[in-house]
Amino acid sequence: MSCLTFWIAASATLAIGHPVADCSSKPAAFFLAGDSTTAIDGGWGNGLLAPLKSPAWGANIGKSGATTASYSAGGYWANVTKHLRDNVDKYDSYVTISFGHNDQKSTSGVTLEEFQANLVRFANEVKSLGGTPLLTTSLTRRVFPSDQDHNATDSLHDQRLAAIAAAKATGSTVIDLNKASLKYINAIGKEAAQEYNYGDDKKDTTHLNPHGEVVFGRMVADLIIREKPCLEKYFTPNKTLSDAIWNNQPA
C-alpha cells in the first residue's frame, strides 16, 4: 500500500464508521498496557507518546516479561485503571492493550483461550470506566528463516487472531500492529529489519533499539489515526517517516 493509498483509506473512514464526532471535545490521553514490546526501553510505547502535542499526553505502563495474567496479578492493570479513573472526566482516554509475546510461552500458564478471555476482560473494564480500548496486536518478531530474507516467521499468528476476536466480542477497535509490522519487515527484508534490533550486537529480534522505538511508535500512531482520524491533531506529523513506512522503505 502506498502512503497515498494509506491516507486515502484513512480519510475514507470518515464516511464508513469512524466520523470525527467519534472523538470527544476533551483532549486525548493514552495509557499503554502491555509487555516489553510496549514498555520503556525496548518497546514501541515511548515512540507513540513522544510526538503527542499538548494538551494530549500519555503514560507507558508496559511491563517487561508480563503476561495478561501476571500483569493483573502484579498490580499493573490496577495502575492502568487508576489512570483512567483519575483522568477520564478531563481527557478522552484511550488504552492500548498489547500482549502475547509472553502469554504464548509454554511456561506462561496462560492458554490461548485464557489469553483471549483476559483481553476481553481488560477491554470491558476500560469501557466500564469510560475509556476506549484499543486492542493492539503484537509487534512481530524480526526472525527470518535461513535463505528467506523477505519471509519472516509469523510466530504470533494465533495471538493476533485472539486479540481480533476479543475486539469483536467487546465492540472494540483493533490496531493491527502485528499485520502491519510483519508486512513491513518482509518488504524491507532481513538486513534492513535487523537495524531495529535491541542491543549493541543487534541480536535481540524481539525488542527495539531507540530508532526502532521511533519507527514502530510512528507505525502505531498512524494506525490509530487511521481508525480514529479525529485524533490526528494530537500527533506531531513526521511525513518522511510515515512515507517510508507505508511505501515499504527502510526508515
Side-chain angles (χ1 to χ4, degrees):
M1 179 185 292
S2 70
C3 181
L4 177 60
T5 302
F6 177 86
W7 288 112
I8 288 174
S11 298
T13 62
L14 292 172
I16 61 172
H18 298 290
V20 171
D22 274 359
C23 289
S24 167
S25 60
K26 296 180 289 188
F30 296 87
F31 308 123
L32 315 185
D35 55 32
S36 58
T37 61
T38 297
I40 295 170
D41 189 23
W44 50 261
N46 279 19
L48 170 67
L49 299 181
L52 285 176
K53 294 189 290 186
S54 182
W57 68 288
N60 190 343
I61 313 174
K63 171 59 179 174
S64 180
T67 67
T68 49
S70 70
Y71 195 78
S72 287
Y76 301 98
W77 182 249
N79 190 12
V80 173
T81 58
K82 183 179 187 303
H83 275 74
L84 274 175
R85 290 187 179 94
D86 290 348
N87 292 284
V88 74
D89 288 342
K90 293 183 178 180
Y91 292 92
D92 188 19
S93 299
Y94 296 84
V95 178
T96 62
I97 302 169
S98 188
F99 294 88
H101 280 263
N102 300 306
D103 293 83
Q104 75 170 183
K105 295 176 181 177
S106 61
T107 56
S108 72
V110 180
T111 67
L112 187 62
E113 292 75 17
E114 290 168 336
F115 171 65
Q116 183 173 318
N118 289 341
L119 295 179
V120 167
R121 176 171 56 83
F122 287 163
N124 280 332
E125 188 164 5
V126 169
K127 287 191 167 190
S128 74
L129 293 172
T132 300
L134 302 173
L135 281 162
T136 306
T137 60
S138 300
L139 176 71
T140 189
R141 296 184 178 97
R142 297 170 300 284
V143 176
F144 294 79
S146 179
D147 299 323
Q148 296 188 49
D149 289 357
H150 292 271
N151 186 26
T153 303
D154 186 9
S155 61
L156 291 145
H157 177 80
D158 291 344
Q159 286 67 37
R160 171 181 177 262
L161 294 183
I164 292 171
K168 183 177 180 180
T170 58
S172 302
T173 298
V174 175
I175 304 301
D176 202 351
L177 175 60
N178 183 259
K179 179 180 179 180
S181 59
L182 182 61
K183 179 181 178 182
Y184 178 62
I185 67 167
N186 280 337
I188 64 174
K190 179 179 179 179
E191 183 176 355
Q194 304 309 304
E195 290 300 310
Y196 306 128
N197 289 355
Y198 186 87
D200 293 337
D201 60 5
K202 294 185 177 179
K203 290 184 177 180
D204 184 337
T205 57
T206 297
H207 304 103
L208 301 166
N209 60 28
H211 181 57
E213 292 181 12
V214 172
V215 171
F216 290 96
R218 171 52 56 178
M219 180 179 284
V220 175
D222 287 349
L223 290 169
I224 289 173
I225 292 166
R226 184 177 186 181
E227 295 298 321
K228 299 283 187 181
C230 52
L231 294 176
E232 183 175 7
K233 64 185 177 182
Y234 295 118
F235 290 93
T236 301
N238 186 334
K239 185 176 185 299
T240 300
L241 182 52
S242 291
D243 283 353
I245 292 170
W246 302 112
N247 285 300
N248 297 320
Q249 299 296 319

